[in-house]
């Protein structure tokens, strides 16, 4: 499998501040990464698809100006929650797509997640 | 991604096989069946995936029916560490997570 590092694992911030979360692919170059959000006792919800060198594709209902995604290199994608508010408190998880020459090799590997608490 | 249906919860005794069913009757021809699990407060862990043939790896076996409308994930000898929420997903490169099955492995 692939090793995905996500940092920080936990962050507490004041309302109105911005928070940056990093997602790194440690052992292969990832053209595509994904960002998910998970509220307590709910399943993961895809927020956006991040492609290296191009703008991210956001899912319906996700504010692109609030959740800034940058995928400037093949090993790093960042998610910045701008002007965070208590309702943004959630578990944010990234994944990298290991895409092989054949579709049989398309597998997403996930980071450990970042728990954001906005006071 | 095709919709999947899984039981809300299942129990399994430690050391016994855990058989987790999944229904994906609307799966399309190019969609794979993926299984992930999520231990509390961690990111999902990839387990196995397949298209139409049965698959086995060091973690589990995946049995897909011939019509591809359902599948079963088999953990051959469940341990307490296998307690987790198991997600069955029918998709290609994007994954749509449902509610999954909460598997509780007990001593």
């Amino acid at each position: 499998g692939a090793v995905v590092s996500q940092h920080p694992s936990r962050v507490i911030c004041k309302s109105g501040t911005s928070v940056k979360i990093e997602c790194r692919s440690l052992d292969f170059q990832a053209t595509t990464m994904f960002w998910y959000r998970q509220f307590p006792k709910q399943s993961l919800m895809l927020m956006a698809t991040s492609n290296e060198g191009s703008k991210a594709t956001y899912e319906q209902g996700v504010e692109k100006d609030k959740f800034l995604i940058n995928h400037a290199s093949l090993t790093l994608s960042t998610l910045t929650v701008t002007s965070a508010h208590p309702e943004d408190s959630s578990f944010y998880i990234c994944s990298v797509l290991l895409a092989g020459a054949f579709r049989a090799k398309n597998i997403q590997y996930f980071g450990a997640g970042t728990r954001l608490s906005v006071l | 991604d095709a919709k999947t249906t899984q039981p809300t919860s299942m129990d399994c005794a430690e050391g016994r096989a855990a058989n987790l069913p999944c229904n994906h009757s609307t799966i399309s021809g190019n969609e794979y069946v993926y299984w992930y699990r999520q231990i509390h407060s961690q990111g999902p862990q990839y387990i196995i995936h397949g298209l139409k043939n049965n698959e086995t790896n060091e973690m589990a076996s995946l049995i897909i029916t011939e019509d591809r409308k359902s599948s079963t994930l088999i953990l051959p000898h469940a341990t307490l560490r296998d307690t987790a929420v198991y997600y069955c997903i029918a998709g290609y490169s994007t994954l749509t997570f449902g509610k999954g099955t909460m598997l509780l492995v007990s001593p």
Side-chain angles (χ1 to χ4, degrees):
Chain A
V3 180
V4 181
S5 174
Q6 190 171 339
H7 179 80
S9 59
R10 186 178 184 96
V11 58
I12 301 172
C13 69
K14 293 182 179 180
S15 184
T17 61
S18 295
V19 174
K20 180 184 284 189
I21 302 169
E22 294 186 347
C23 180
R24 293 182 183 275
S25 176
L26 298 184
D27 54 0
F28 76 98
Q29 294 180 327
T31 304
T32 303
M33 295 185 180
F34 301 91
W35 287 95
Y36 295 81
R37 179 168 55 181
Q38 185 175 33
F39 291 108
K41 298 188 177 181
Q42 293 187 23
S43 191
L44 282 78
M45 294 294 294
L46 178 66
M47 298 176 67
T49 301
S50 169
N51 291 296
E52 187 269 337
S54 63
K55 292 183 179 180
T57 302
Y58 291 81
E59 296 298 301
Q60 190 173 8
V62 178
E63 300 175 56
K64 63 180 181 180
D65 294 330
K66 181 170 184 62
F67 299 99
L68 302 179
I69 292 172
N70 184 283
H71 192 161
S73 78
L74 289 172
T75 60
L76 175 64
S77 176
T78 61
L79 168 68
T80 301
V81 183
T82 63
S83 187
H85 289 93
E87 57 266 30
D88 298 322
S89 297
S90 188
F91 191 49
Y92 292 86
I93 312 167
C94 71
S95 71
V96 302
L97 178 64
L98 178 60
F102 302 96
R103 290 185 294 181
K105 294 296 185 181
N106 281 1
I107 301 172
Q108 281 188 43
Y109 291 93
F110 289 81
T114 297
R115 188 160 302 282
L116 171 63
S117 299
V118 184
L119 305 178
Chain B
D1 295 353
K3 177 179 168 55
T4 60
T5 303
Q6 300 178 252
T8 301
S9 63
M10 294 184 65
D11 294 326
C12 180
E14 188 178 21
R16 304 297 294 270
N19 298 290
L20 290 84
C22 178
N23 181 287
H24 33 77
S25 58
T26 60
I27 192 171
S28 62
N30 66 343
E31 289 182 319
Y32 282 72
V33 179
Y34 293 87
W35 283 84
Y36 284 81
R37 70 182 182 184
Q38 186 178 26
I39 297 171
H40 183 63
S41 295
Q42 297 182 23
Q45 178 188 23
Y46 167 78
I47 300 173
I48 198 168
H49 77 295
L51 184 62
K52 53 184 177 181
N53 297 322
N54 296 338
E55 302 287 344
T56 296
N57 62 21
E58 64 278 4
M59 290 184 67
S61 294
L62 173 60
I63 308 298
I64 304 174
T65 58
E66 191 170 345
D67 61 9
R68 302 209 326 125
K69 292 184 177 182
S70 65
S71 62
T72 301
L73 178 74
I74 301 173
L75 306 179
H77 306 287
T79 70
L80 299 180
R81 294 180 183 179
D82 292 322
T83 292
V85 177
Y86 287 76
Y87 296 100
C88 166
I89 301 164
Y92 175 35
S93 57
T94 61
L95 303 175
T96 301
F97 285 80
K99 296 182 179 181
T101 296
M102 175 67 222
L103 174 68
L104 177 62
V105 181
S106 303

